[in-house]
Amino acid sequence: DVKVTQSSRYLVKRTGEKVFLECVQDMDHENMFWYRQDPGLGLRLIYFSYDVKMKEKGDIPEGYSVSREKKERFSLILESASTNQTSMYLCASSLSEDSGRGSTGELFFGEGSRLTVL
Amino acid sequence: AQSVTQLGSHVSVSEGALVLLRCNYSSSVPPYLFWYVQYPNQGLQLLLKYTTGATLVKGINGFEAEFKKSETSFHLTKPSAHMSDAAEYFCAVSERNTGFQKLVFGTGTRLLVSP
């Protein structure tokens, strides 16, 4: 059974702390994504990666960074957590199109990491 | 940039009734369109997708959606709701930006099913 695993389901952190959210996929997918999900706003893309060590900003990258040192692992980093980063964070992965120009659109999601920043 | 509008943040139906969840998109080129479902305390999973070809697309769990270019719509339907269909549903459209195709999601519609 294919799987995307997020390291923590629930985290509580204090303002100013550095936060690491880890995501691992076992499907040998090229593309990996980090979204945040907020009520009434749907899913918003923070960062994505289409290859090892490659990363691209999504729609809301401010306050976040990412790391992809290995194909199967994509980490989201909050350098200095703030209360407005309290949210559900979803990691996803996908294969690339045959053209190599992006995701097939069929994303496989982890179960999410609910982060609360106090 | 492409966008997706889902009408109604909540939809309530009775068990056995028709389910209709609305999705409209904006796109200057033929899009790829998707519906995802999120059950409580879980990540999203793909219900169905339209890329090219037949405009009526069948998905898992008895759901289907029809791509109507003239109406820029991709509404999700199911003839008879089941209690297990209670979940949040997200419509998404592919967006090709700087050469990389990625998804843009709508704000979601929560489906409530009553006995």
Side-chain angles (χ1 to χ4, degrees):
Chain A
D1 202 16
V2 296
K3 207 156 185 179
V4 176
T5 303
Q6 295 184 229
S7 55
S8 304
R9 292 295 304 273
Y10 301 93
L11 302 95
V12 179
K13 299 292 182 180
R14 296 210 174 271
T15 302
E17 279 193 81
K18 191 169 186 176
V19 181
F20 292 88
L21 299 179
E22 305 283 343
C23 176
V24 177
Q25 51 99 0
D26 64 1
M27 295 167 281
D28 201 35
H29 285 170
E30 296 87 3
N31 307 305
M32 296 189 75
F33 307 82
W34 275 106
Y35 289 88
R36 64 176 283 176
Q37 181 180 12
D38 299 288
L41 297 178
L43 277 71
R44 293 177 292 167
L45 182 63
I46 304 171
Y47 267 96
F48 64 96
S49 168
Y50 52 87
D51 200 353
V52 177
K53 297 192 184 294
M54 304 304 291
K55 58 187 178 184
E56 294 285 343
K57 293 180 180 179
D59 300 316
I60 52 165
E62 296 78 18
Y64 303 95
S65 62
V66 291
S67 171
R68 193 165 181 205
E69 296 296 318
K70 294 184 177 182
K71 189 176 185 179
E72 67 270 18
R73 187 179 299 270
F74 192 36
S75 302
L76 180 69
I77 303 154
L78 288 67
E79 293 289 341
S80 178
S82 63
T83 55
N84 62 13
Q85 292 178 310
T86 291
S87 186
M88 170 69 85
Y89 291 88
L90 293 170
C91 175
S93 70
S94 80
L95 287 168
S96 285
E97 288 187 304
D98 290 342
S99 66
R101 293 186 65 194
S103 169
T104 59
E106 183 170 0
L107 271 57
F108 293 83
F109 283 85
E111 292 187 320
S113 298
R114 185 168 294 282
L115 172 66
T116 301
V117 182
L118 302 174
Chain B
Q2 294 172 333
S3 65
V4 174
T5 301
Q6 291 185 241
L7 294 175
S9 59
H10 292 80
V11 170
S12 295
V13 300
S14 299
E15 193 172 20
L18 171 71
V19 176
L20 171 61
L21 304 182
R22 300 178 185 274
C23 173
N24 289 87
Y25 67 91
S26 68
S27 173
S28 58
V29 297
Y32 292 179
L33 294 159
F34 305 81
W35 276 100
Y36 281 81
V37 61
Q38 184 179 33
Y39 297 105
N41 297 315
Q42 295 186 26
L44 281 71
Q45 65 182 85
L46 182 67
L47 260 184
L48 50 80
K49 64 179 179 182
Y50 168 78
T51 53
T52 58
T55 56
L56 182 63
V57 180
K58 294 187 185 299
I60 61 172
N61 301 334
F63 284 93
E64 61 183 35
E66 186 170 11
F67 170 58
K68 292 187 176 180
K69 184 178 178 181
S70 61
E71 299 177 7
T72 61
S73 69
F74 191 57
H75 302 331
L76 182 70
T77 60
K78 183 174 180 178
S80 177
H82 192 272
M83 296 294 291
S84 61
D85 294 326
E88 190 155 21
Y89 293 80
F90 293 90
C91 183
V93 62
S94 62
E95 179 180 73
R96 192 176 294 275
N97 187 16
T98 65
F100 186 91
Q101 180 171 277
K102 58 186 186 293
L103 293 189
V104 174
F105 285 86
T107 53
T109 298
R110 186 169 298 279
L111 177 65
L112 307 169
V113 183
S114 56

